[in-house]
Amino acid sequence: MAVPTLQLRPAPGRVWSRLLLLGPAFVAAIAYVDPGNVAANLTAGANYGYLLVWVLVVANAMAVLVQYQSAKLGLATGLSLPEILGKRLGTKRRRLYWAQAEIVAGATDMAEVIGGAVALNLLFGLPLLAGGVIIGLASMVLLALQSHRGQRSFEYAILVLLGIIAVGFMSGLFVNPPDGGAAVGGLLPRFEGTDTVLLAASMLGATVMPHAIYLHSALARDRHGFSEDPSVRTRLIRATRVDVIGALLLAGVVNISMLLLAASSLRGIEGTDTIAGAHAAVTSALGPAVGVIFAIGLLASGLASTSVGCYAGATIMGGLLKVRIPLLTRRVITLIPALIILGAGIEPTLALVLSQVLLSFGIPFALIPLIRLTGKRDVMGIHTDSKPLKIAGWTSATLIVGLNIVLITLTFSGQS
């Protein structure tokens, strides 16, 4: 599909309203508050208190950097990350790369459908399999909105759901505030055995999401197109920085709130290693109203994130394989693995946590090419990353890959 060329010449007020870019980054931010985050963050807080607060802070800082670079790539080149890789890789490498990216996108989608099904079970007592089907159908409605009404309408719907998610997961902190001193102490980087490393990898995979890295370059480009005027691109990229910081700051606060809620209200309570158990404990400790709000937040999280995940999968396939199938058809296909897991009776929270670990291993495949591309002048032109940005990007990639190596070593050596 040809990329439109935009020449932004309207009145100053209209230019400013377009440059604010309040939309693409918030859609990408949904990936950072999905049910996988809920499972990983609640498990970390309930089992280890404030120990792993630092993981979320570091991961969210890296997420701001990564999503900004992804959006900048789309605006500077007029191409998404998958499209650029599709042009640069040979046929065999391109197909192999697509396969790993598709597995990561599939793991994401599976987690999100499962989380939505758990929320419906908590709210209405629906069987998990039936809940998964309902979430799949509801996500089709959102995707149909994007297909027929355009990206802007889709963004409005996602923004509403993001607001519900924020209220759902932060409300409990007002009833039982966390220990401020202990929370600050959790900023000191440390682990306590193999299980905490596994959780850290899960939290990292749930926070710096590979499919969001692929997607954001397309979201920014599709909203604003590509301008041949460098000054227009520069203004768009500057405004994107504001959009990314605002969206990821909100997502980071929500993520940290989940962990703080679990650390302050669920520590030492049996059964909190599952979302259902955590919901029961929240309801018991903070009251049924907070429990209902929590479940509604989880439902909004599952519905919004599975729609965005399906959108990302289509972006990956279109860019790397140059194959485009209707979003609704893709939704039906990608729904099947989640329904199989739900129907098989596998513990949903365990499936969510393990899916996030898989995502953590997929991050370098998205992150390293992104950093390399945004650092190349022949790709980015005047928008090439500055030296400090390059250093920050490669440092992030090194930390992520290093954590995965530690995870593998500790897991297979049996150390604790």
Side-chain angles (χ1 to χ4, degrees):
M1 182 182 350
V3 178
T5 299
L6 297 185
Q7 299 294 334
L8 303 184
R9 302 295 186 194
R14 291 181 60 192
V15 171
W16 178 244
S17 67
R18 294 191 63 152
L19 293 181
L20 281 177
L21 286 178
L22 292 181
F26 284 86
V27 173
I30 285 291
Y32 295 83
V33 289
D34 74 351
N37 293 85
V38 180
N41 297 335
L42 290 181
T43 300
N47 291 348
Y48 300 101
Y50 303 96
L51 177 72
L52 298 177
V53 170
W54 68 273
V55 175
L56 290 179
V57 173
V58 171
N60 202 72
M62 290 191 293
V64 171
L65 170 66
V66 168
Q67 294 306 139
Y68 168 65
Q69 286 179 302
S70 177
K72 184 172 76 166
L73 179 69
L75 291 172
T77 66
L79 297 171
S80 69
L81 175 58
E83 286 171 340
I84 295 176
L85 293 174
K87 290 177 178 292
R88 290 173 169 251
L89 296 176
T91 301
K92 184 176 180 180
R93 292 174 63 197
R94 179 164 48 83
R95 289 173 179 171
L96 288 173
Y97 194 92
W98 167 79
Q100 66 79 27
E102 197 68 53
I103 290 171
V104 167
T108 302
D109 198 49
M110 178 188 71
E112 292 155 350
V113 173
I114 290 173
V118 170
L120 288 174
N121 176 263
L122 296 176
L123 285 168
F124 307 110
L126 288 177
L128 291 176
L129 182 58
V133 172
I134 291 173
I135 290 297
L137 293 174
S139 66
M140 288 182 187
V141 174
L142 274 178
L143 292 170
L145 181 67
Q146 190 276 337
S147 297
H148 298 292
R149 299 292 299 275
Q151 182 176 327
R152 192 57 171 160
S153 296
F154 181 69
E155 289 172 359
Y156 286 142
I158 294 298
L159 282 168
V160 171
L161 291 172
L162 182 58
I164 295 172
I165 293 167
V167 173
F169 293 131
M170 296 174 64
S171 59
L173 293 179
F174 295 95
V175 179
N176 184 24
D179 183 333
V184 172
L187 297 175
L188 177 66
R190 63 197 189 279
F191 295 110
E192 290 183 0
T194 305
D195 287 345
T196 60
V197 180
L198 177 66
L199 266 176
S202 181
M203 294 160 69
L204 183 63
T207 305
V208 184
M209 300 284 274
H211 76 288
I213 298 174
Y214 295 120
L215 177 62
H216 202 168
S217 55
L219 287 172
R221 186 275 316 273
D222 290 347
R223 165 80 87 79
H224 299 280
F226 173 73
S227 174
E228 297 289 349
D229 185 345
S231 64
V232 171
R233 296 199 302 268
T234 298
R235 292 199 299 272
L236 286 168
I237 290 170
R238 286 175 179 169
T240 293
R241 191 181 306 143
V242 176
D243 187 45
V244 170
I245 291 173
L248 271 296
L249 179 62
L250 175 59
V253 169
V254 172
N255 269 319
I256 293 173
S257 296
M258 295 180 203
L259 190 149
L260 296 181
L261 175 66
S264 62
S265 302
L266 308 182
R267 187 76 192 274
I269 300 177
E270 291 188 9
T272 54
D273 54 344
T274 67
I275 291 180
H279 173 262
V282 166
T283 301
S284 176
L286 304 179
V290 175
V292 169
I293 294 172
F294 177 92
I296 291 173
L298 179 62
L299 178 60
S301 170
L303 178 57
S305 56
T306 193
S307 303
V308 172
C310 188
Y311 193 167
T315 299
I316 292 168
M317 177 178 284
L320 289 168
L321 295 188
K322 300 178 176 61
V323 173
R324 299 185 183 276
I325 61 176
L327 275 175
L328 298 185
T329 302
R330 183 182 176 87
R331 166 73 282 173
V332 173
I333 296 171
T334 57
L335 187 62
I336 295 173
L339 295 183
I340 291 174
I341 288 177
L342 291 171
I346 297 173
E347 164 50 43
T349 305
L350 176 62
L352 287 173
V353 172
L354 292 179
S355 73
Q356 303 312 298
V357 176
L358 177 60
L359 294 182
S360 182
F361 285 97
I363 294 169
F365 292 98
L367 181 55
I368 291 174
L370 174 67
I371 297 170
R372 290 190 62 187
L373 289 169
T374 56
K376 287 179 174 291
R377 184 162 291 276
D378 64 325
V379 175
M380 301 293 290
I382 64 170
H383 309 296
T384 306
D385 286 345
S386 63
K387 187 173 181 178
L389 195 57
K390 290 179 182 178
I391 293 173
W394 285 115
T395 300
S396 298
T398 301
L399 288 172
I400 293 168
V401 174
L403 179 60
N404 288 330
I405 292 173
V406 171
L407 171 63
I408 295 171
T409 302
L410 290 179
T411 300
F412 285 97
S413 68
Q415 296 178 15
S416 60

